[in-house]
């Protein structure tokens, strides 16, 4: 009885070992090769992100103009917010002058600054003080 149990354990162990060897001997599928130049993906990402950031900047310009035109944003508020927007635009241009597109940390910085400014435009447009 003990030998039958031992031989069953041995048989199971052999089955697992052979299954393991079979999977190890299978050829791995080749991963698709990306033949683009090393910096091309980064540059393309930076270009796409640059377009999205530019769209956000244009949106903020429009919101500021609408707020000023409707009277929801005072001349002084508009001046302060436009100065902040212009500094973000200047920073974006500085980053772009590197010639390699926008890096992820630069994109994050610009998006954070645009998020903050967007919140300020929203608050100033709804504060009803018009000063």
């Amino acid at each position: 009885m003990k030998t039958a149990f031992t031989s069953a354990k041995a048989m199971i162990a052999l089955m697992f070992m052979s299954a393991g060897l079979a999977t190890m001997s299978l050829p791995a599928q080749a991963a698709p090769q990306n033949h683009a130049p090393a910096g091309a993906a980064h540059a393309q990402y930076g270009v796409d992100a640059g377009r999205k950031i530019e769209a956000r900047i244009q949106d903020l310009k429009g919101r500021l103009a609408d707020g000023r035109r409707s009277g929801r944003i005072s001349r002084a508020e508009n001046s302060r917010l436009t100065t902040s927007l212009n500094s973000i635009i200047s920073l974006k241009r500085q980053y772009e002058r590197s010639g390699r597109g926008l890096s992820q940390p630069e994109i994050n910085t610009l998006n954070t600054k645009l998020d903050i400014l967007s919140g300020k435009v929203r608050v100033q447009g709804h504060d009803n003080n018009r000063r």
Side-chain angles (χ1 to χ4, degrees), residues 1-69:
M1 177 119 163
K2 187 174 183 181
T3 58
F5 182 70
T6 308
S7 64
K9 280 175 57 178
M11 190 66 133
I12 292 172
L14 282 172
M15 286 176 19
F16 280 113
M17 286 177 27
S18 64
L21 290 174
T23 58
M24 288 181 9
S25 64
L26 292 176
Q29 286 189 345
Q33 297 295 318
N34 182 2
H35 296 290
H42 168 73
Q44 182 61 39
Y45 183 75
V47 169
D48 292 342
R51 287 187 194 124
K52 289 177 183 176
I53 289 170
E54 188 60 36
R56 291 188 69 191
I57 288 169
Q58 294 307 318
D59 178 63
L60 278 169
K61 282 182 179 180
R63 287 172 53 198
L64 285 169
D66 289 346
R68 184 67 191 116
R69 203 172 18 258

Side-chain angles (χ1 to χ4, degrees), residues 56 59-60 63-64 73 77 81 84-85 88 110-127:
R56 291 188 69 191
D59 178 63
L60 278 169
R63 287 172 53 198
L64 285 169
I73 296 177
E77 289 170 340
L81 295 168
S84 294
L85 182 58
I88 294 170
L110 291 169
N111 277 321
T112 299
K113 290 180 179 292
L114 287 168
D115 289 344
I116 292 168
L117 182 58
S118 180
K120 288 179 181 179
V121 170
R122 183 174 42 259
V123 167
Q124 292 303 316
H126 293 87
D127 68 356

